Amino acid sequence: MKAKTIILYLLLGASLLFGKPTIYILATGGTIAGAGTGKDATTSSYDSGKVLIQTILQALPADEISQYANLKSEQILQKGSQDITPSDWITIAKRVNDLLQQKDIDGIVITHGTDTIEETAMFLQLVIKSNKPVVLVGAMRPSTAISADGPKNLFDGIVLASSQESRGKGVMVTANGNIFSASDITKSNPVHLDTFKPANIGILGYMWNNQPYFLRTSNQLHTLNSQFDISSITSLPRVDIIYGYAGLDEKAVEASIHSGAKGIIIAGVGNGNISTSAQEVLIQASKMGIKVVRAGRMIYGPVTQWGEVDDEKYGFITSWWHTPQAARIILMLALQNGFTEVQSIQKLMLQY
Ligand code: ASP
């Protein structure tokens, strides 16, 4: 008998012995909960976050689901993910931490809009204190569309969250048959089903025939190994992202300083490069104690130290593996958790 078949029999035996895992679904809205506004199921207009989780679950094959998990569900939010805020991240994370403390909850699936799913996933990756699986799923087509992708992604999410193999892998997103680490995912296309891409290393694995196939694990610190704690926080400091382009002047940086930002992420051009006029004001910001992170406007690859910018001289930090939006989350949590030294925040960018 092949090793894989033996493992499957062992898993089946274990599930018969110990019962099926209980997966708790937290619904937040998004296109997976979208309903079309047009006359038919083939056109593109829709409202996101309209359909409640009980209705979305009815689109799943109940018999198959019951082979994998017992489900519980809760509508924690109901909005498009363009409206998700840092305060929503805290609400979701605290609820996930509370649920995962319970012995009878084995994993969490979060339904979420795809626009900012990577940000909620990254936040959870850094603050969830459990090795039980946490999986986020979304959809590119609303629930009323022909060939909607939400039910399949949700089904895969439930199977992934109920798998023993998913334990300790950190927060994951599954979409279009791929498994992504929250540490390495970005939305790359506004319309394609195959929108999610890993910015650096690659997918964690595949979902196939109701089973996860893992190819690798993430080396970045997460969940139980993360030092960030949100148990006593209710808000996060303001950190702005400024997009780089040819002709960027100092005005956006000045506006950010005046708005009281404690940190500024610059989505610079190339290897996080910044126009001279914007950079001069960023140097002033850094001298004022505002943390400045050089990230990049390209999807792939790192923004490194020791490129064209003298980071040590100006007190700048670089994002390394992180998109501007992921670097922003690390910086917000670092500031909230009392990190003040540029070098120690730089180290966090490399570790997480
Ligand atoms: N605007 C939607 C959202 O992020 C898009 C989607 O879910 O695909 O909520």
Side-chain angles (χ1 to χ4, degrees), residues 88-152:
D88 291 330
W89 297 338
I90 295 171
T91 304
I92 297 169
K94 286 190 171 175
R95 185 73 182 123
V96 171
N97 273 333
D98 284 350
L99 287 165
L100 292 182
Q101 291 274 312
Q102 297 176 25
K103 283 206 175 66
D104 57 347
I105 307 276
D106 301 290
I108 304 279
V109 173
I110 301 171
T111 62
H112 198 289
T114 61
D115 289 352
T116 67
I117 198 170
E118 65 201 68
E119 290 170 63
T120 302
M122 183 63 177
F123 185 75
L124 297 175
Q125 176 82 316
L126 302 184
V127 303
I128 295 307
K129 302 290 175 208
S130 172
N131 68 354
K132 294 180 187 174
V134 177
V135 180
L136 287 88
V137 297
M140 293 301 288
R141 293 183 182 141
S143 67
T144 50
I146 185 170
S147 203
D149 53 331
K152 171 69 172 136

Side-chain angles (χ1 to χ4, degrees), residues 29-32 46 48 79-82 112-116 139-140 187:
T31 296
I32 192 166
Y46 69 97
S48 102
K79 48 167 95 171
S81 74
Q82 57 270 45
H112 198 289
T114 61
D115 289 352
T116 67
M140 293 301 288
K187 184 174 179 177

Side-chain angles (χ1 to χ4, degrees), residues 134-181:
V134 177
V135 180
L136 287 88
V137 297
M140 293 301 288
R141 293 183 182 141
S143 67
T144 50
I146 185 170
S147 203
D149 53 331
K152 171 69 172 136
N153 289 340
L154 179 53
F155 184 86
D156 280 351
I158 292 165
V159 173
L160 183 59
S162 56
S163 166
Q164 281 292 326
E165 285 185 69
S166 297
R167 285 183 161 243
K169 297 273 193 314
V171 175
M172 294 175 279
V173 175
T174 181
N176 209 30
N178 293 316
I179 307 168
F180 301 88
S181 165

Side-chain angles (χ1 to χ4, degrees), residues 80-337:
S81 74
Q82 57 270 45
D83 283 323
I84 296 269
T85 62
S87 136
D88 291 330
W89 297 338
I90 295 171
T91 304
I92 297 169
K94 286 190 171 175
R95 185 73 182 123
V96 171
N97 273 333
D98 284 350
L99 287 165
L100 292 182
Q101 291 274 312
Q102 297 176 25
K103 283 206 175 66
D104 57 347
I105 307 276
D106 301 290
I108 304 279
V109 173
I110 301 171
T111 62
H112 198 289
T114 61
D115 289 352
T116 67
I117 198 170
E118 65 201 68
E119 290 170 63
T120 302
M122 183 63 177
F123 185 75
L124 297 175
Q125 176 82 316
L126 302 184
V127 303
I128 295 307
K129 302 290 175 208
S130 172
N131 68 354
K132 294 180 187 174
V134 177
V135 180
L136 287 88
V137 297
M140 293 301 288
R141 293 183 182 141
S143 67
T144 50
I146 185 170
S147 203
D149 53 331
K152 171 69 172 136
N153 289 340
L154 179 53
F155 184 86
D156 280 351
I158 292 165
V159 173
L160 183 59
S162 56
S163 166
Q164 281 292 326
E165 285 185 69
S166 297
R167 285 183 161 243
K169 297 273 193 314
V171 175
M172 294 175 279
V173 175
T174 181
N176 209 30
N178 293 316
I179 307 168
F180 301 88
S181 165
S183 303
D184 193 20
I185 178 172
T186 194
K187 184 174 179 177
S188 70
N189 189 302
V191 292
H192 283 173
L193 300 196
D194 189 23
T195 184
F196 291 108
K197 300 289 167 199
N200 286 288
I201 303 166
I203 58 171
L204 284 185
Y206 294 94
M207 291 302 299
W208 188 250
N209 280 356
N210 310 337
Q211 202 184 313
Y213 289 83
F214 284 102
L215 298 168
R216 68 174 187 93
T217 50
S218 174
N219 273 339
Q220 286 152 282
L221 296 181
H222 59 70
T223 54
L224 285 179
N225 291 322
S226 168
Q227 61 205 288
F228 299 117
D229 179 22
I230 53 149
S231 51
S232 57
I233 70 157
T234 51
S235 65
L236 289 161
R238 180 182 182 113
V239 173
D240 291 341
I241 299 177
I242 295 174
Y243 200 84
Y245 51 86
L248 174 70
D249 65 15
E250 66 287 350
K251 298 258 178 352
V253 182
E254 284 170 355
S256 183
I257 295 169
H258 291 141
S259 72
K262 301 285 180 277
I264 298 175
I265 313 288
I266 174 94
V269 295
N271 194 359
N273 291 317
I274 315 161
S275 64
T276 306
S277 52
Q279 183 163 303
E280 273 165 14
V281 189
L282 285 168
I283 294 168
Q284 296 311 317
S286 168
K287 283 189 184 142
M288 291 161 63
I290 297 171
K291 298 294 179 277
V292 176
V293 177
R294 288 193 308 109
R297 68 178 190 177
M298 282 170 286
I299 288 184
Y300 301 107
V303 168
T304 65
Q305 291 168 276
W306 315 293
E308 290 180 57
V309 182
D310 192 339
D311 295 303
E312 271 98 350
K313 183 167 161 200
Y314 303 139
F316 292 170
I317 296 154
T318 65
S319 65
W320 283 98
W321 332 114
H322 302 291
T323 58
Q325 53 275 26
R328 173 175 177 254
I329 292 166
I330 296 176
L331 182 56
M332 286 167 126
L333 280 167
L335 294 172
Q336 184 60 266
N337 280 257

